[in-house]
Amino acid sequence: TRIFTVAIDGPAAAGKGTVSRAVAAHFGLAHLDTGLLYRAVGAKVLRGADPTEAARALDPADLEADLRTQEIASAASRVAVIPEVRAALTDFQRDFARREGGAVLDGRDICTVIAPAAEVKLYVTASPEVRAERRFQELIDKDPTLTREGVLEDVLARDARDMGRADAPLVAAEDAVVLDTSEMSIEEAVGAAIAIVGSAL
Ligand code: C5P
């Protein structure tokens, strides 16, 4: 049994999720998409709950709903500025990061706040236009009313909120390896991430 943590941060739709899942599968590590925690809180708030209460009462079953909508993403980034919400979600993430057998966590503050001692730290990014186009392609079937301009606006608004907040803002940790996927295919981004993690093993 070993403890080995891979911490991955980056803005919305940069390829974090895909890279994280692939790294976890390749090295046999558990994976936690920490955005889902904030999305689950955001979804409860859209249904009228108090954000801090919702974060404190979060249940694994809450993560199983369909949380991948623009509306919930936006609600998530609004609850994520509340320090009490972040504090309520911290222990679960830290415990997950130190679990035996190793773990990959992806989010906005994993390298900086949740697991600053992680063996590997990655900052996965891409230009706003590339990220908006990826998100558009991902969501257009589910929501045919989406426009490219609207998705880009959402991406930029979420970036501004995530990077501009006082508590745990999104920033590339000083010692994180930056992976810019703007010009990369999924396969190339995954290959680059696996090479970086592999060299730290
Ligand atoms: O990664 P995802 O797009 O699912 O995250 C949704 C929102 O949750 C982000 O825009 C961000 O505001 C918040 N979040 C966060 N810290 C994390 C993960 C997500 O603040 N570690």
Side-chain angles (χ1 to χ4, degrees):
T1 60
R2 70 200 164 129
I3 291 175
F4 182 80
T5 312
V6 179
I8 304 184
D9 289 323
K16 268 189 332 270
T18 306
V19 161
S20 303
R21 276 190 300 276
V23 165
H26 185 88
F27 294 103
L29 307 168
H31 173 228
L32 179 64
D33 170 358
T34 66
L36 282 181
L37 305 176
Y38 292 90
R39 285 172 184 260
V41 174
K44 286 187 169 194
V45 169
L46 288 173
R47 296 196 299 267
D50 170 77
T52 305
E53 293 303 312
R56 289 184 181 148
L58 207 63
D59 192 89
D62 296 330
L63 307 181
E64 268 146 44
D66 180 15
L67 300 169
R68 305 212 171 274
T69 67
Q70 284 289 100
E71 193 192 12
I72 293 176
S74 168
S77 85
R78 281 180 272 121
V79 301
V81 306
I82 305 168
E84 290 78 10
V85 166
R86 307 198 69 82
L89 302 176
T90 299
D91 285 351
F92 176 73
Q93 296 176 80
R94 290 211 171 124
D95 290 347
F96 195 97
R98 305 313 288 167
R99 64 157 53 195
E100 286 187 12
V104 179
L105 287 83
D106 72 282
R108 302 293 187 289
D109 64 341
I110 309 303
C111 302
T112 51
V113 174
I114 298 298
E119 280 72 16
V120 180
K121 295 184 210 171
L122 272 178
Y123 188 81
V124 180
T125 189
S127 72
E129 291 72 23
V130 166
R131 291 188 284 119
E133 180 61 24
R134 288 178 187 161
R135 193 45 47 100
F136 178 77
Q137 296 299 342
E138 205 176 284
L139 295 175
I140 187 64
D141 286 344
K142 214 158 45 173
D143 181 0
T145 67
L146 285 182
T147 63
R148 285 192 162 71
E149 299 69 40
V151 174
L152 178 59
E153 263 171 42
D154 276 348
V155 162
L156 292 173
R158 206 133 71 87
D159 281 2
R161 215 160 23 229
D162 290 348
M163 294 173 183
R165 69 184 174 220
D167 189 16
L170 171 64
V171 60
E174 247 171 63
D175 53 353
V177 177
V178 177
L179 187 61
D180 187 330
T181 68
S182 300
E183 313 271 307
M184 290 183 182
S185 66
I186 291 174
E187 293 73 21
E188 288 169 331
V190 164
I194 286 175
I196 293 163
V197 175
S199 70
L201 274 173

